[in-house]
Amino acid sequence: MNIKRLRSFFPALSDGKKIYFDNAATSLTPKPVIDEVVSYYEKFGVNAGRGAYRLAFELSMKLEEARENVASFINASPEEIVFTFNTTDSINKLALSLDLKPEDRVLITQIEHHSNLLPWKLLEKNKEVKVDVLPVNEEGGIDIDLLDKYLKNKSKMFAFTAASNVLGTILKAKEMSDLAHTNGALVLIDAAQIVGHRKFDAREVGCDFAAFSAHKMCGPPGVGVLYIKKGAEKHLSPAFLGGGTVKEISGNQFFLREHPYDFEPGTLNIPGILGFNQAVKFVENIGLDNIERKIQNLYRFIINELSSNKNILLYNNTLEENVGIVSFNIKGVSPHQAAVAYDNLGNIMLRSGFHCAIPFVQAIGAKEGTIRASVAFYNTIEEAERFIEITSEVISAIK
Ligand SMILES: Cc1ncc(COP(=O)(O)O)c(C=O)c1O
């Protein structure tokens, strides 16, 4: 699809003026997704799976179709897909539902977003579970031999991100997952920055659990997925219950419904899930290979340009495959001040600070945080060129 037509699907890009480079936070929403969300309110507006009327039944069928489509997108079965509200919600639900006892060990990495750090730290505080943190190497990556050593610590769970939200680095998820299994640990992959950007095949990676959000792949906010591999539910006992989760209540006993419904208490974000279904279709239509190639080209261009500018401190120090995230600073300038200047001078939207990954940003030596530019498949090379031009203007204006 040519880029002009592709961009025409995104109403937020219609003024042609702003440059949106904050895609790692949330991607823009294409028209088919918006239309689907609106059509829920126009055609349905009711709850699903509860009513005895045809409209509720039709809506339930649409939700199950969404579940099937999301499942096949990551090569899973529908029963393995639990709809949640976002990645953070998925990880918290998993952490609280896992059969961990005091002194059991959970291993995470120093790269993690707070969403895959704090739910485990909370278990440490409230349940006396031990959380070990695998330190990163000098390039901000994972050393597999060191991981093996840490796993020998008898971790019950190894929870790690598939791609860093600070540097865009892609971790060797399959190798890490296999190593964890060899050492007897369960595996959770925080797939928030990979699903919809590159092929993510839950079966091939072999993880027991995975978490991701619709809003990072052209879907609406407020919808996430907790993938629970068939059989892995035996390690869980759902921590949140309510309407929709129970088959029968008799006296003070209750019997839960089958999986995945036992993990979906209360009313879900129905319009969000319908929109997510359209987002999956949209992304599939563009093609994950095309998306990956496009992001890689934009990333390479930006990295090459920034690395040759002596006023720039670049934290991405490799030209390896990346999900399109660049972290840098302008020497002597606070990241926040610089990001505001990009907005004022060039209408360029960037993020500044610690990107909800304080331990990692500190580990790469960015004491005050970084400026983060993150690209998507609907960005253009002209936008990347303009970003480089504005970088020179920002440097002259505030240095
Ligand atoms: C790697 C990673 N994990 C988790 C999250 C949290 O996602 P959400 O805010 O959708 O829960 C993000 C969001 O930036 C992320 O990049």
Side-chain angles (χ1 to χ4, degrees):
M1 193 186 294
N2 84 40
I3 185 72
K4 210 168 158 207
R5 176 155 162 68
L6 174 63
R7 284 170 71 87
S8 73
F9 282 99
F10 292 86
L13 295 172
S14 63
D15 68 1
K17 290 194 179 120
K18 57 182 173 290
I19 297 180
Y20 186 66
F21 275 5
D22 192 19
N23 295 284
T26 287
S27 50
L28 299 178
T29 319
K31 195 74 170 66
V33 174
I34 299 169
D35 288 347
E36 184 73 0
V37 172
V38 170
S39 91
Y40 161 76
Y41 294 102
E42 289 175 349
K43 277 177 58 187
F44 296 97
V46 300
N47 211 324
R50 310 275 207 265
Y53 44 90
R54 279 164 296 166
L55 203 58
F57 181 71
E58 195 188 327
L59 186 56
S60 300
M61 299 298 281
K62 274 178 82 76
L63 281 186
E64 291 314 312
E65 184 210 306
R67 194 187 303 277
E68 278 168 31
N69 200 26
V70 170
S72 102
F73 189 57
I74 62 158
N75 193 21
S77 347
E79 320 80 74
E80 295 176 316
I81 300 296
V82 172
F83 283 121
T84 63
F85 298 109
N86 48 47
T87 305
T88 309
D89 184 43
S90 299
I91 299 177
N92 273 291
K93 280 193 171 126
L94 175 68
L96 290 171
S97 303
L98 204 58
D99 55 3
L100 290 171
K101 298 182 293 303
E103 303 303 314
D104 279 347
R105 304 195 89 90
V106 171
L107 177 63
I108 60 170
T109 81
Q110 206 175 11
I111 300 179
E112 302 315 311
H113 187 281
H114 296 165
S115 293
N116 194 30
L117 161 68
L118 297 177
W120 305 111
K121 289 303 259 178
L122 201 60
L123 288 190
E124 190 167 60
K125 191 165 162 239
N126 294 342
K127 264 188 152 183
E128 291 165 49
V129 164
K130 300 272 177 241
V131 178
D132 300 308
V133 182
L134 177 72
V136 288
N137 61 25
E138 275 181 7
E139 281 96 45
I142 295 298
D143 178 344
I144 294 289
D145 290 335
L146 189 63
L147 170 61
D148 194 29
K149 254 191 216 156
Y150 269 70
L151 284 165
K152 294 274 177 302
N153 229 353
K154 297 210 181 338
S155 308
K156 281 239 168 141
M157 161 63 88
F158 176 37
F160 67 95
T161 188
S164 159
N165 68 310
V166 177
L167 296 183
T169 332
I170 299 169
L171 276 72
K172 295 189 167 105
K174 177 159 174 49
E175 194 180 344
M176 291 165 68
S177 175
D178 286 351
L179 194 60
H181 284 144
T182 309
N183 284 283
L186 290 166
V187 172
L188 159 71
I189 297 189
D190 172 352
Q193 291 293 348
I194 205 109
V195 174
H197 300 89
R198 289 186 169 231
K199 181 117 199 76
F200 179 79
D201 183 324
R203 250 177 228 147
E204 194 196 315
V205 172
C207 54
D208 302 285
F209 311 101
F212 54 97
S213 300
H215 72 96
K216 303 225 189 250
M217 50 162 293
C218 298
V223 186
V225 165
L226 173 61
Y227 160 81
I228 304 178
K229 185 177 154 186
K230 205 170 169 51
E233 68 273 13
K234 68 170 181 273
H235 303 284
L236 309 175
S237 158
F240 301 93
L241 296 177
T245 53
V246 77
K247 211 163 28 190
E248 203 193 317
I249 299 184
S250 150
N252 55 13
Q253 278 199 309
F254 60 90
F255 303 92
L256 294 182
R257 279 180 75 193
E258 72 280 12
H259 203 59
Y261 307 108
D262 52 347
F263 277 88
E264 290 180 347
T267 300
L268 294 169
N269 179 352
I270 302 168
I273 294 170
L274 301 185
F276 189 15
N277 190 14
Q278 292 305 316
V280 169
K281 290 182 186 172
F282 187 82
V283 163
E284 276 177 328
N285 204 18
I286 306 291
L288 280 173
D289 287 349
N290 293 329
I291 290 176
E292 179 182 324
R293 204 171 320 117
K294 179 69 189 293
I295 290 177
Q296 199 61 28
N297 286 342
L298 291 170
Y299 169 78
R300 286 243 152 90
F301 174 82
I302 292 172
I303 284 281
N304 278 333
E305 294 289 326
L306 290 184
S307 61
S308 59
N309 186 331
K310 61 180 183 352
N311 289 301
I312 298 287
L313 196 57
L314 189 60
Y315 297 97
N316 303 52
N317 52 6
T318 85
L319 280 181
E320 283 174 0
E321 295 288 294
N322 193 289
V323 290
I325 303 176
V326 180
S327 261
F328 66 99
N329 270 320
I330 295 173
K331 288 179 189 164
V333 179
S334 92
H336 180 68
Q337 196 192 355
V340 169
Y342 274 98
D343 189 26
N344 291 338
L345 294 173
N347 214 348
I348 297 179
M349 301 176 192
L350 304 173
R351 178 147 165 187
S352 64
F354 291 91
H355 320 301
C356 298
I358 292 174
F360 185 49
V361 173
Q362 284 173 344
I364 60 172
K367 301 255 166 342
E368 284 185 72
T370 74
I371 310 165
R372 184 181 76 177
S374 52
V375 294
F377 60 93
Y378 41 75
N379 288 124
T380 64
I381 196 72
E382 289 76 22
E383 288 179 318
E385 284 165 354
R386 181 85 183 125
F387 165 70
I388 297 301
E389 270 171 36
I390 294 294
T391 300
S392 303
E393 284 185 33
V394 171
I395 292 169
S396 325
I398 60 178
K399 243 186 96 70

